[in-house]
Amino acid sequence: MNQSIKYLTFLFLAFSVFTFQSCDNEALEGEFGTDTGNTDPAGLVGDWEMVSFEAETTTNSNYLGQAISVNGVITGSDFDYVVTFTEDAYTTNGSYTLSAVFYMAGMEMENGSETYSNVSGSGTYTTENGTMTISDPFFTFEFQGMDLSEFGGQQTTDYNLSNDGQILTLSQNETINETVNGVETTTEINSTTVLYKI
């Protein structure tokens, strides 16, 4: 059973870390005015410093007739990480720490933290009506020795520019249904990523 839990944790992480998603589009605390934001893609062009990433996930699976539910919280910290957007492409560069804690039946079953330095990447993106589609993930993530970057690829997120275009919030609620090796898994992901324009 321990091996199946690790497998489900692996699936859970693979789907939760590489998307930028959110349960809501709340304004940040502080004196940022009353600007409710916009989705003008021209405002994306420039350098953006990552300041926060938070995700909550719930994975429900059925393995050998047994229902398994895993809840997780993934947070980013120690950001020195910049995303640079041109009109249709982006690059990433810097360092950050990602921490993950997973619970089953209300009890902590896994936790870990990894720091990534000298990370760089690139990709292309498109926008339409406040939705951004990126060709590859912004983050690299490895959990307990498992490199999850192979689960990257195209991602879709809502975006909002606020504080006169100085704050970019990437957000999404997503449900992913997968069947791998006979294990049916449904993962619900809610997360928020916030960047400040440099």
Side-chain angles (χ1 to χ4, degrees):
M1 185 64 182
N2 187 33
Q3 194 68 335
S4 64
I5 290 174
K6 284 189 178 248
Y7 176 73
L8 292 173
T9 301
F10 176 78
L11 286 176
F12 173 69
L13 282 168
F15 295 119
S16 63
V17 172
F18 298 107
T19 54
F20 290 88
Q21 307 156 60
S22 171
C23 51
D24 51 19
N25 209 5
E26 295 179 10
L28 296 175
E29 292 182 15
E31 296 182 17
F32 298 113
T34 58
D35 180 11
T36 59
N38 70 70
T39 58
D40 180 4
L44 294 170
V45 175
D47 296 328
W48 296 86
E49 180 181 14
M50 190 85 59
V51 293
S52 70
F53 172 75
E54 222 172 276
E56 293 183 5
T57 60
T58 301
T59 300
N60 293 301
S61 301
N62 191 313
Y63 183 75
L64 300 175
Q66 183 176 5
I68 300 171
S69 182
V70 178
N71 297 311
V73 177
I74 302 167
T75 56
S77 61
D78 303 323
F79 287 108
D80 183 12
Y81 198 60
V82 175
V83 179
T84 301
F85 289 99
T86 63
E87 289 182 6
D88 61 0
Y90 61 89
T91 58
T92 60
N93 189 37
S95 62
Y96 53 87
T97 298
L98 290 178
S99 303
V101 181
F102 298 97
Y103 302 89
M104 187 168 65
M107 298 182 63
E108 183 178 315
M109 62 174 230
E110 299 278 354
N111 70 63
S113 182
E114 295 284 339
T115 297
Y116 302 89
S117 300
N118 301 315
V119 176
S120 63
S122 62
T124 59
Y125 75 98
T126 59
T127 60
E128 184 176 353
N129 299 324
T131 299
M132 178 188 299
T133 301
I134 61 174
S135 62
D136 290 292
F138 292 121
F139 286 116
T140 296
F141 189 60
E142 182 178 293
F143 185 74
Q144 295 187 346
M146 295 181 290
D147 183 0
L148 305 177
S149 59
E150 67 185 78
F151 288 91
Q154 183 173 297
Q155 306 290 328
T156 301
T157 181
D158 293 333
Y159 72 93
N160 184 39
L161 294 160
S162 60
N163 193 37
D164 294 326
Q166 299 302 300
I167 299 173
L168 171 61
T169 303
L170 302 168
S171 59
Q172 187 179 29
N173 292 333
E174 187 172 5
T175 300
I176 301 169
N177 297 303
E178 288 285 324
T179 302
V180 179
N181 295 335
V183 178
E184 295 180 6
T185 303
T186 299
T187 302
E188 295 180 11
I189 309 165
N190 302 302
S191 71
T192 303
T193 301
V194 178
L195 303 94
Y196 290 172
K197 198 157 200 174
I198 299 174

